[in-house]
Amino acid sequence: MTLRALLLAIFFASRAVAQTDPATAALNAAQMLEQASVSLTEAESARDRVRALTETIQAYEAGLSAMRDGLRRAATREAQLTAELRSREKDVAQLLGVLQTIETTAPPVLMLHPSGPLGSARAGMMLSEVTPGLNAKAQSLARDLQEVRTLRLLQQSASETLVEGLTGVQNARTQLSTAIADRTDLPRRFVEDPIRTAILISSTETLDGFASGLSQISEGQIAETDADISSIKGQIALPTQGIILHRANETDAAGVKRPGIVLGTRPRAIVTSPTAATIRYRGPLLELGNLVILEPQPGLLFVFSGLQEVYGEAGQVIPRGTPVGLMPAESKEIGAILSTSGDGTGTDRSETLYIEVRQDNSPVDPESWFRTDKDG
């Protein structure tokens, strides 16, 4: 079964569930995947391939997310129906017995009654009133049984399709790294001096100190820019799909407060630039791990840390939606990935992306710039 076929199956199976948004998302993801595949085929330059591969990865992520959600709902619905059918075993047995008696008893016998013709007439009237109800119960039972069979078939077909989807997104991620390395047509505002960068890293102990010294890592002057994103302040999309785990200045499990937000993401999620921006730094820093620092306008920095892989080069000016990194992931068996035991509240978002916004060398609440009312 193809990815689109399974997503369509999830859509129809999910109609029995009150909320259908994930099913709609599944269809949208399938359409995104088809469009991205066409774009990938038609892409000629490295820059086009980066964009097409980014769209492909995002489509796979959306499709796989919708698939997991649909399978979780399918499993929940199947368990619910199975429990209901078991609780009604006695009633079902009686219903089947009555229906079987009606079907197998000869019509003349049905017309006889010990009290004579009047009793037979009354029994016939009662039977005519009861029969529609019996038929309705029988039809309802048949629908429930058919739905259980459909949901079970859906889950049995999912493993192969999920493997196909995971293989596809892994291949797209590998191709993305190559395409980014081949990309040479991006404008640059400066060229990084690796020695000066190393000196700055070794001489600073905090992100504050490093960020304030970013102007020192270039070989020459950093070109001026008149970029301005103030018109979309508060409406900027987050750089990846995720759920907010900690807001600015909230105490985390270790008792630490940070001026940024912590976003829970799925393993290997792609992180993209939410606006056009200059890459001011990318690489490891202090205890923050791999991070990317973007400058969308003079005096404003977006810091994304917790990445496993980082893309691009310092000094490059990248368009909105450009991939800047991938989240980490532990190797998991396919059964663990396919598991529907999650509760749908984000327990499968095992990786964390730290987002800090710095304006005029001071941290500000990221939610003053980013739109965080929609969890992905």
Side-chain angles (χ1 to χ4, degrees):
M1 184 183 289
T2 64
L3 178 62
R4 180 172 176 79
L6 184 61
L7 294 177
L8 287 170
I10 290 173
F11 171 73
F12 290 115
S14 297
R15 289 192 302 179
V17 186
Q19 293 181 338
T20 57
D21 289 346
T24 303
L27 285 179
N28 292 338
Q31 294 170 358
M32 284 176 59
L33 186 56
E34 290 182 353
Q35 294 168 0
S37 298
V38 171
S39 300
L40 182 59
T41 303
E42 298 176 348
E44 296 180 359
S45 68
R47 189 169 182 172
D48 288 338
R49 284 188 60 78
V50 169
R51 181 173 60 251
L53 282 164
T54 302
E55 292 174 356
T56 301
I57 292 171
Q58 290 172 331
Y60 269 118
E61 288 180 349
L64 292 172
S65 174
M67 184 188 303
R68 292 187 186 100
D69 187 81
L71 289 173
R72 181 169 54 246
R73 292 187 175 191
T76 301
R77 179 62 176 163
E78 182 188 359
Q80 176 187 354
L81 286 171
T82 301
E84 289 179 359
L85 289 172
R86 285 176 179 170
S87 68
R88 291 158 49 193
E89 281 182 354
K90 184 177 180 180
D91 293 340
V92 169
Q94 291 177 347
L95 172 62
L96 293 177
V98 171
L99 292 175
Q100 188 176 9
T101 300
I102 294 175
E103 289 179 356
T104 58
T105 303
V109 176
L110 292 175
M111 296 299 295
L112 297 178
H113 193 275
S115 62
L118 182 59
S120 297
R122 289 175 177 171
M125 293 173 63
M126 292 174 62
L127 185 61
S128 65
E129 292 178 358
V130 171
T131 299
L134 293 175
N135 287 334
K137 287 185 177 181
Q139 291 172 4
S140 174
L141 175 62
R143 285 194 299 270
D144 288 348
L145 290 172
Q146 181 58 45
E147 187 175 354
V148 169
R149 292 192 202 100
T150 301
L151 294 172
R152 199 161 287 166
L153 177 63
L154 175 65
Q155 293 175 80
Q156 291 171 350
S157 304
S159 180
E160 178 183 346
T161 306
L162 186 56
V163 171
E164 175 188 331
L166 289 170
T167 301
V169 73
Q170 288 167 1
N171 290 338
R173 287 168 181 150
T174 301
Q175 294 178 48
L176 178 63
S177 298
T178 302
I180 289 176
D182 294 339
R183 183 180 57 189
T184 59
D185 58 347
L186 288 176
R188 303 184 74 104
R189 288 182 57 206
F190 66 90
V191 176
E192 181 186 18
D193 185 328
I195 296 178
R196 291 183 177 181
T197 301
I199 292 174
L200 177 62
I201 292 175
S202 63
S203 63
T204 57
E205 298 181 354
T206 64
L207 178 59
D208 284 359
F210 183 80
S212 62
L214 275 175
S215 59
Q216 303 172 19
I217 71 173
S218 65
E219 289 184 353
Q221 293 293 321
I222 299 177
E224 298 291 332
T225 176
D226 58 358
D228 185 359
I229 63 167
S230 57
S231 62
I232 56 173
K233 183 176 181 180
Q235 298 300 316
I236 300 173
L238 290 167
T240 189
Q241 290 188 356
I243 292 178
I244 294 181
L245 303 179
H246 296 288
R247 299 186 184 275
N249 297 311
E250 282 187 350
T251 304
D252 62 18
V256 177
K257 288 185 179 180
R258 296 185 183 277
I261 61 176
V262 177
L263 198 67
T265 77
R266 291 187 174 88
R268 302 297 284 168
I270 190 170
V271 179
T272 61
S273 177
T275 66
T278 301
I279 300 177
R280 294 300 302 268
Y281 175 75
R282 42 84 78 188
L285 181 66
L286 306 173
E287 79 285 356
L288 297 172
N290 270 342
L291 59 77
V292 172
I293 299 179
L294 303 178
E295 183 184 52
Q297 70 179 34
L300 181 66
L301 299 177
F302 293 162
V303 182
F304 305 143
S305 74
L307 301 165
Q308 179 170 322
E309 298 176 36
V310 287
Y311 298 137
E313 297 178 12
Q316 288 180 332
V317 180
I318 57 176
R320 180 177 66 86
T322 299
V324 294
L326 290 176
M327 297 300 294
E330 295 181 2
S331 177
K332 291 185 177 181
E333 296 295 330
I334 190 67
I337 297 174
L338 183 59
S339 173
T340 56
S341 59
D343 57 6
T345 60
T347 53
D348 57 341
R349 292 170 171 83
S350 58
E351 307 303 326
T352 54
L353 179 70
Y354 177 67
I355 301 174
E356 185 168 314
V357 175
R358 304 184 63 82
Q359 195 163 3
D360 298 327
N361 291 327
S362 297
V364 298
D365 188 347
E367 293 188 72
S368 64
W369 284 92
F370 288 96
R371 186 180 72 251
T372 59
D373 57 333
K374 287 184 66 176
D375 294 331

